[in-house]
Coordinates of all heavy atoms in Angstrom, one line a residue:
Y304 N -25.1 -7.2 -8.9 CA -23.8 -7.2 -8.5 C -23.4 -5.8 -7.9 O -23.7 -4.8 -8.5 CB -22.7 -7.5 -9.6 CG -22.9 -8.8 -10.2 CD1 -23.6 -9.0 -11.3 CD2 -22.2 -10.0 -9.6 CE1 -23.8 -10.3 -11.9 CE2 -22.3 -11.2 -10.2 CZ -23.1 -11.4 -11.4 OH -23.2 -12.7 -11.9
V305 N -22.9 -5.8 -6.7 CA -22.4 -4.5 -6.1 C -20.9 -4.8 -5.8 O -20.5 -5.7 -5.0 CB -23.2 -4.2 -4.8 CG1 -22.7 -2.8 -4.2 CG2 -24.6 -4.2 -5.0
L306 N -20.1 -4.0 -6.4 CA -18.6 -4.2 -6.4 C -18.0 -2.9 -5.8 O -18.2 -1.9 -6.3 CB -18.1 -4.4 -7.7 CG -18.7 -5.6 -8.5 CD1 -19.6 -5.1 -9.6 CD2 -17.6 -6.6 -9.1
D307 N -17.1 -3.1 -4.8 CA -16.5 -2.0 -4.2 C -15.1 -2.3 -3.7 O -14.8 -3.5 -3.2 CB -17.3 -1.5 -2.9 CG -16.8 -0.1 -2.6 OD1 -17.3 0.9 -3.2 OD2 -16.0 0.0 -1.6
S308 N -14.1 -1.4 -3.8 CA -12.8 -1.6 -3.5 C -12.5 -1.4 -1.9 O -11.3 -1.3 -1.6 CB -11.9 -0.8 -4.3 OG -12.2 0.7 -4.1
A309 N -13.5 -1.4 -1.2 CA -13.3 -1.3 0.3 C -12.3 -2.3 0.9 O -12.5 -3.5 0.6 CB -14.6 -1.4 1.0
H310 N -11.2 -1.9 1.5 CA -10.2 -2.8 1.8 C -9.6 -2.5 3.3 O -8.6 -3.1 3.6 CB -9.1 -2.8 0.8 CG -8.4 -1.4 0.7 ND1 -9.0 -0.4 0.0 CD2 -7.3 -0.9 1.2 CE1 -8.3 0.7 0.0 NE2 -7.2 0.5 0.8
N311 N -10.4 -1.8 4.0 CA -9.9 -1.5 5.5 C -11.3 -1.3 6.3 O -12.4 -1.3 5.8 CB -9.0 -0.4 5.7 CG -9.5 0.8 5.0 OD1 -10.5 1.3 5.2 ND2 -8.7 1.4 4.1
V312 N -11.1 -1.2 7.6 CA -12.2 -1.2 8.5 C -13.1 -0.1 8.2 O -14.4 -0.2 8.0 CB -11.8 -1.2 10.0 CG1 -13.0 -0.9 10.9 CG2 -11.1 -2.5 10.4
E313 N -12.7 1.2 8.0 CA -13.5 2.3 7.9 C -14.2 2.2 6.5 O -15.4 2.5 6.4 CB -12.7 3.6 7.9 CG -13.6 4.8 7.6 CD -12.8 6.1 7.7 OE1 -11.8 6.2 8.3 OE2 -13.3 7.1 7.1
A314 N -13.5 1.8 5.5 CA -14.1 1.6 4.2 C -15.2 0.7 4.2 O -16.3 0.8 3.5 CB -13.1 1.3 3.1
I315 N -15.0 -0.5 4.8 CA -16.0 -1.5 4.8 C -17.2 -1.1 5.6 O -18.4 -1.3 5.3 CB -15.4 -2.8 5.5 CG1 -14.6 -3.6 4.6 CG2 -16.6 -3.7 6.1 CD1 -15.3 -4.4 3.4
H316 N -17.0 -0.3 6.7 CA -18.2 0.2 7.4 C -19.0 1.2 6.6 O -20.2 1.1 6.5 CB -17.7 1.0 8.7 CG -18.7 1.7 9.4 ND1 -19.7 0.9 10.1 CD2 -19.0 3.0 9.6 CE1 -20.5 1.8 10.7 NE2 -20.2 3.0 10.4
K317 N -18.4 2.0 5.9 CA -19.1 3.0 5.0 C -19.8 2.2 3.8 O -20.9 2.6 3.4 CB -18.3 4.1 4.5 CG -17.7 5.0 5.6 CD -16.9 6.2 5.1 CE -16.6 7.2 6.2 NZ -15.8 8.3 5.6
F318 N -19.1 1.2 3.3 CA -19.7 0.5 2.2 C -20.9 -0.3 2.7 O -21.9 -0.3 2.0 CB -18.6 -0.5 1.7 CG -19.1 -1.6 0.8 CD1 -19.6 -1.1 -0.5 CD2 -19.1 -2.9 1.0 CE1 -20.1 -2.0 -1.4 CE2 -19.7 -3.8 0.0 CZ -20.2 -3.3 -1.2
R319 N -20.9 -0.8 3.9 CA -22.0 -1.5 4.4 C -23.2 -0.5 4.5 O -24.3 -0.8 4.3 CB -21.7 -2.1 5.8 CG -22.7 -3.2 6.2 CD -23.7 -2.6 7.2 NE -23.2 -2.0 8.4 CZ -23.7 -1.2 9.1 NH1 -25.0 -0.8 8.8 NH2 -23.2 -0.6 10.2
E320 N -22.9 0.7 5.1 CA -24.0 1.6 5.1 C -24.6 2.1 3.7 O -25.8 2.2 3.6 CB -23.5 2.9 5.8 CG -23.1 2.7 7.3 CD -22.7 4.0 8.0 OE1 -22.1 4.9 7.3 OE2 -22.9 4.2 9.1
D321 N -23.7 2.1 2.7 CA -24.3 2.5 1.4 C -25.0 1.4 0.9 O -26.0 1.6 0.2 CB -23.0 2.7 0.5 CG -22.4 4.1 0.6 OD1 -23.1 5.0 1.1 OD2 -21.2 4.3 0.3
V322 N -24.6 0.1 1.1 CA -25.4 -1.1 0.5 C -26.8 -1.1 1.3 O -27.9 -1.3 0.7 CB -24.7 -2.4 0.8 CG1 -25.6 -3.6 0.4 CG2 -23.4 -2.4 -0.1
D323 N -26.8 -0.8 2.6 CA -28.0 -0.8 3.3 C -28.9 0.2 2.8 O -30.2 0.0 2.7 CB -27.7 -0.4 4.9 CG -27.3 -1.6 5.7 OD1 -27.6 -2.7 5.3 OD2 -26.7 -1.3 6.8
S324 N -28.4 1.4 2.4 CA -29.3 2.5 1.8 C -29.9 2.1 0.4 O -30.9 2.7 0.0 CB -28.5 3.8 1.6 OG -27.5 3.7 0.6
L325 N -29.4 1.0 -0.2 CA -29.9 0.6 -1.5 C -31.3 -0.1 -1.2 O -32.1 -0.2 -2.2 CB -29.0 -0.4 -2.2 CG -27.7 0.2 -2.8 CD1 -26.9 -1.0 -3.4 CD2 -27.9 1.2 -3.8
R326 N -31.5 -0.7 0.0 CA -32.7 -1.4 0.3 C -32.9 -2.5 -0.7 O -34.0 -2.6 -1.3 CB -33.9 -0.5 0.4 CG -33.6 0.6 1.5 CD -35.0 1.4 1.7 NE -34.7 2.4 2.7 CZ -34.7 2.3 3.9 NH1 -34.9 1.1 4.5 NH2 -34.6 3.4 4.7
L327 N -31.9 -3.4 -0.9 CA -32.0 -4.5 -1.8 C -33.1 -5.4 -1.4 O -33.0 -6.0 -0.3 CB -30.7 -5.2 -2.0 CG -29.5 -4.4 -2.6 CD1 -28.2 -5.2 -2.4 CD2 -29.7 -4.2 -4.0
D328 N -34.0 -5.7 -2.2 CA -35.1 -6.5 -2.0 C -34.8 -7.9 -2.6 O -35.6 -8.4 -3.3 CB -36.5 -6.0 -2.5 CG -37.7 -6.8 -2.0 OD1 -37.5 -7.5 -1.1 OD2 -38.7 -6.7 -2.8
K329 N -33.7 -8.4 -2.2 CA -33.2 -9.7 -2.8 C -32.4 -10.4 -1.7 O -31.7 -9.8 -0.8 CB -32.2 -9.4 -3.9 CG -33.0 -8.9 -5.2 CD -31.9 -8.8 -6.4 CE -32.6 -8.4 -7.6 NZ -31.6 -8.4 -8.8
E330 N -32.4 -11.8 -1.8 CA -31.5 -12.5 -1.0 C -30.1 -12.1 -1.3 O -29.6 -12.0 -2.6 CB -31.7 -14.0 -1.2 CG -30.9 -14.9 -0.2 CD -31.2 -16.3 -0.4 OE1 -31.9 -16.7 -1.4 OE2 -30.8 -17.1 0.4
T331 N -29.2 -11.8 -0.3 CA -27.9 -11.2 -0.6 C -26.8 -12.1 -0.1 O -26.8 -12.6 1.0 CB -27.8 -9.8 0.1 OG1 -28.9 -9.0 -0.4 CG2 -26.6 -9.2 -0.1
F332 N -25.7 -12.1 -0.9 CA -24.6 -13.0 -0.6 C -23.3 -12.0 -0.8 O -23.3 -11.2 -1.7 CB -24.4 -14.2 -1.5 CG -25.6 -15.1 -1.5 CD1 -26.7 -15.0 -2.4 CD2 -25.7 -16.1 -0.6 CE1 -27.8 -15.7 -2.3 CE2 -26.8 -16.9 -0.5 CZ -27.9 -16.8 -1.4
V333 N -22.4 -12.2 0.1 CA -21.1 -11.5 0.1 C -20.0 -12.4 -0.3 O -19.8 -13.5 0.4 CB -20.8 -10.8 1.4 CG1 -19.5 -10.1 1.3 CG2 -22.0 -9.9 1.8
I334 N -19.1 -12.1 -1.3 CA -18.0 -12.8 -1.5 C -16.8 -11.9 -1.2 O -16.7 -10.8 -1.9 CB -17.9 -13.2 -3.1 CG1 -19.1 -14.0 -3.4 CG2 -16.6 -14.0 -3.4 CD1 -19.2 -14.6 -4.8
F335 N -16.1 -12.3 -0.3 CA -15.1 -11.5 0.4 C -13.6 -12.0 0.2 O -13.4 -13.2 0.4 CB -15.3 -11.3 1.9 CG -14.3 -10.5 2.7 CD1 -14.6 -9.1 2.9 CD2 -13.2 -11.0 3.2 CE1 -13.7 -8.3 3.6 CE2 -12.4 -10.3 3.9 CZ -12.6 -8.9 4.2
A336 N -12.7 -11.1 -0.3 CA -11.3 -11.5 -0.4 C -10.5 -10.4 0.0 O -10.8 -9.2 -0.4 CB -11.0 -12.1 -1.7
T337 N -9.3 -10.6 0.7 CA -8.5 -9.5 1.1 C -7.1 -9.9 1.1 O -6.7 -11.0 0.8 CB -9.0 -8.9 2.4 OG1 -8.3 -7.6 2.6 CG2 -8.7 -9.8 3.6
V338 N -6.2 -9.0 1.6 CA -4.8 -9.4 1.7 C -4.4 -9.5 3.3 O -5.3 -9.3 4.1 CB -3.9 -8.2 1.1 CG1 -4.1 -8.2 -0.4 CG2 -4.2 -6.9 1.7
R339 N -3.2 -10.0 3.4 CA -2.9 -10.5 4.8 C -2.8 -9.4 5.9 O -2.9 -9.8 7.1 CB -1.5 -11.3 4.7 CG -1.6 -12.5 3.8 CD -0.4 -13.4 3.9 NE -0.5 -14.5 3.1 CZ -0.1 -14.5 1.8 NH1 0.4 -13.4 1.3 NH2 -0.2 -15.6 1.0
D340 N -2.6 -8.2 5.5 CA -2.4 -7.2 6.7 C -3.7 -6.5 7.1 O -3.6 -5.4 7.8 CB -1.3 -6.2 6.2 CG -1.7 -5.3 5.0 OD1 -2.7 -5.7 4.3 OD2 -1.2 -4.3 4.8
K341 N -4.8 -7.0 6.6 CA -6.1 -6.3 7.0 C -6.8 -6.9 8.2 O -6.6 -8.1 8.4 CB -7.1 -6.3 5.8 CG -6.5 -5.7 4.5 CD -6.0 -4.3 4.6 CE -5.3 -3.8 3.4 NZ -4.7 -2.5 3.6
N342 N -7.6 -6.1 8.9 CA -8.1 -6.4 10.2 C -9.5 -7.2 9.8 O -10.6 -6.6 10.0 CB -8.4 -5.2 11.0 CG -8.9 -5.6 12.4 OD1 -9.2 -6.8 12.7 ND2 -9.0 -4.6 13.2
I343 N -9.4 -8.5 9.5 CA -10.6 -9.2 9.1 C -11.4 -9.5 10.4 O -12.6 -9.9 10.3 CB -10.3 -10.5 8.4 CG1 -9.3 -11.4 9.2 CG2 -9.7 -10.2 7.1 CD1 -9.1 -12.7 8.5
T344 N -10.9 -9.4 11.6 CA -11.6 -9.7 12.8 C -12.8 -8.7 12.9 O -13.8 -9.0 13.4 CB -10.7 -9.5 14.0 OG1 -9.6 -10.5 13.9 CG2 -11.5 -9.8 15.3
V345 N -12.6 -7.5 12.4 CA -13.6 -6.5 12.4 C -14.3 -6.4 11.1 O -15.6 -6.3 11.1 CB -13.0 -5.0 12.7 CG1 -14.0 -4.0 12.6 CG2 -12.4 -5.0 14.1
M346 N -13.6 -6.6 10.0 CA -14.3 -6.4 8.6 C -15.3 -7.5 8.4 O -16.4 -7.2 7.8 CB -13.2 -6.5 7.6 CG -12.2 -5.3 7.6 SD -10.7 -5.6 6.6 CE -11.4 -5.3 5.0
L347 N -15.0 -8.8 8.7 CA -16.0 -9.8 8.4 C -17.3 -9.7 9.1 O -18.3 -9.9 8.4 CB -15.3 -11.2 8.7 CG -14.3 -11.7 7.7 CD1 -13.5 -12.9 8.1 CD2 -15.0 -12.0 6.3
P348 N -17.3 -9.5 10.4 CA -18.7 -9.3 11.1 C -19.4 -8.1 10.5 O -20.6 -8.2 10.5 CB -18.3 -9.1 12.6 CG -16.9 -9.7 12.8 CD -16.2 -9.5 11.4
E349 N -18.7 -7.0 10.1 CA -19.4 -5.9 9.7 C -20.0 -6.2 8.3 O -21.2 -5.9 8.1 CB -18.4 -4.8 9.4 CG -18.9 -3.5 8.8 CD -19.6 -2.5 9.7 OE1 -19.1 -2.5 10.9 OE2 -20.5 -1.7 9.3
I350 N -19.3 -6.8 7.4 CA -19.8 -7.1 6.1 C -20.9 -8.3 6.2 O -21.8 -8.3 5.3 CB -18.7 -7.5 5.1 CG1 -19.1 -7.1 3.7 CG2 -18.3 -8.9 5.3 CD1 -19.3 -5.7 3.4
G351 N -20.8 -9.0 7.2 CA -21.8 -10.1 7.4 C -23.2 -9.6 7.8 O -24.1 -10.4 7.7
L352 N -23.2 -8.3 8.1 CA -24.6 -7.8 8.4 C -25.4 -7.7 7.1 O -26.6 -7.5 7.2 CB -24.5 -6.4 9.0 CG -23.7 -6.3 10.4 CD1 -23.5 -5.0 10.8 CD2 -24.6 -7.1 11.4
L353 N -24.7 -7.8 6.0 CA -25.4 -7.6 4.6 C -26.0 -9.0 4.1 O -27.0 -9.0 3.3 CB -24.5 -7.0 3.6 CG -24.0 -5.7 3.9 CD1 -23.0 -5.3 2.8 CD2 -25.1 -4.6 3.9
G354 N -25.5 -10.0 4.5 CA -25.9 -11.3 4.0 C -24.9 -12.5 4.3 O -23.9 -12.2 5.0
K355 N -25.2 -13.6 3.8 CA -24.2 -14.7 4.0 C -22.9 -14.5 3.4 O -22.8 -14.2 2.2 CB -24.8 -16.1 3.5 CG -23.9 -17.3 3.7 CD -24.5 -18.6 3.2 CE -23.5 -19.7 3.6 NZ -24.1 -21.0 3.2
V356 N -21.8 -14.7 4.2 CA -20.4 -14.4 3.6 C -19.7 -15.6 3.2 O -19.7 -16.6 4.0 CB -19.6 -13.5 4.7 CG1 -18.2 -13.4 4.2 CG2 -20.3 -12.3 5.1
Y357 N -19.1 -15.6 2.0 CA -18.2 -16.6 1.6 C -16.9 -15.9 1.5 O -16.7 -14.8 1.0 CB -18.5 -17.1 0.2 CG -19.8 -17.9 0.2 CD1 -21.0 -17.3 -0.1 CD2 -19.8 -19.3 0.4 CE1 -22.3 -18.0 -0.1 CE2 -21.0 -20.0 0.3 CZ -22.2 -19.4 0.1 OH -23.4 -20.1 0.0
I358 N -15.8 -16.5 2.0 CA -14.5 -16.1 1.8 C -13.8 -16.8 0.7 O -14.0 -18.0 0.5 CB -13.7 -16.1 3.1 CG1 -13.7 -17.4 3.8 CG2 -14.2 -14.9 4.1 CD1 -13.0 -17.5 5.1
T359 N -12.8 -16.0 0.0 CA -12.2 -16.6 -1.1 C -10.8 -16.0 -1.3 O -10.3 -15.3 -0.4 CB -13.0 -16.5 -2.4 OG1 -12.5 -17.2 -3.5 CG2 -13.1 -15.0 -2.8
T360 N -10.2 -16.4 -2.3 CA -8.8 -15.8 -2.6 C -8.8 -15.3 -4.1 O -9.7 -15.6 -4.9 CB -7.7 -16.8 -2.3 OG1 -6.5 -16.1 -2.4 CG2 -7.7 -17.9 -3.3
F361 N -7.7 -14.7 -4.5 CA -7.5 -14.3 -5.9 C -6.1 -14.2 -6.2 O -5.2 -14.5 -5.3 CB -8.2 -12.9 -6.0 CG -7.6 -11.8 -5.0 CD1 -6.7 -10.8 -5.5 CD2 -8.0 -11.8 -3.7 CE1 -6.1 -10.0 -4.6 CE2 -7.5 -10.8 -2.9 CZ -6.5 -9.9 -3.3
T362 N -5.6 -13.9 -7.5 CA -4.3 -14.0 -7.8 C -3.6 -12.7 -7.4 O -3.7 -11.7 -8.1 CB -4.3 -14.1 -9.3 OG1 -5.0 -15.3 -9.8 CG2 -2.8 -14.4 -9.9
N363 N -2.8 -12.8 -6.3 CA -2.0 -11.7 -5.9 C -1.0 -12.3 -4.8 O -1.5 -13.2 -4.0 CB -2.9 -10.7 -5.3 CG -2.0 -9.3 -4.9 OD1 -1.5 -9.4 -3.8 ND2 -2.0 -8.4 -5.7
K364 N 0.2 -12.0 -4.8 CA 1.1 -12.5 -3.9 C 0.8 -12.3 -2.4 O 1.2 -13.0 -1.5 CB 2.5 -12.0 -4.2 CG 2.8 -10.6 -4.0 CD 4.2 -10.1 -4.2 CE 4.4 -8.7 -4.0 NZ 5.8 -8.3 -4.2
N365 N 0.0 -11.2 -2.2 CA -0.3 -10.9 -0.8 C -1.7 -11.4 -0.5 O -2.2 -11.1 0.7 CB -0.3 -9.3 -0.6 CG 1.2 -8.9 -0.8 OD1 2.1 -9.4 -0.3 ND2 1.3 -7.7 -1.5
A366 N -2.5 -12.0 -1.3 CA -3.9 -12.4 -1.0 C -3.9 -13.5 0.1 O -3.1 -14.4 0.1 CB -4.4 -12.8 -2.3
R367 N -4.9 -13.4 0.9 CA -5.2 -14.5 1.9 C -5.5 -15.7 1.3 O -6.4 -15.6 0.5 CB -6.1 -13.9 3.0 CG -5.6 -12.9 4.0 CD -6.7 -12.6 5.0 NE -6.3 -11.6 5.9 CZ -5.9 -11.8 7.1 NH1 -5.8 -13.1 7.6 NH2 -5.6 -10.8 7.9
E368 N -4.9 -16.8 1.7 CA -5.3 -18.1 1.3 C -6.2 -18.7 2.4 O -6.3 -18.1 3.5 CB -4.1 -19.0 0.9 CG -3.2 -18.5 -0.3 CD -3.9 -18.5 -1.6 OE1 -4.9 -19.2 -1.7 OE2 -3.4 -17.9 -2.6

Side-chain angles (χ1 to χ4, degrees):
Y304 296 93
V305 185
L306 306 103
D307 195 84
S308 57
H310 59 280
N311 52 55
V312 171
E313 180 181 338
I315 284 287
H316 175 68
K317 290 184 176 180
F318 173 62
R319 195 266 303 165
E320 291 183 332
D321 280 336
V322 175
D323 278 342
S324 70
L325 291 177
R326 302 187 182 278
L327 293 169
D328 187 21
K329 291 184 173 184
E330 189 172 9
T331 301
F332 302 93
V333 179
I334 303 178
F335 178 93
T337 193
V338 294
R339 294 186 183 93
D340 66 342
K341 304 305 177 183
N342 186 353
I343 58 173
T344 302
V345 176
M346 294 168 72
L347 283 170
E349 176 87 29
I350 206 69
L352 297 173
L353 296 174
K355 181 176 180 179
V356 176
Y357 293 89
I358 48 181
T359 188
T360 190
F361 57 102
T362 303
N363 185 278
K364 66 178 182 179
N365 296 316
R367 284 181 183 263
E368 300 287 349

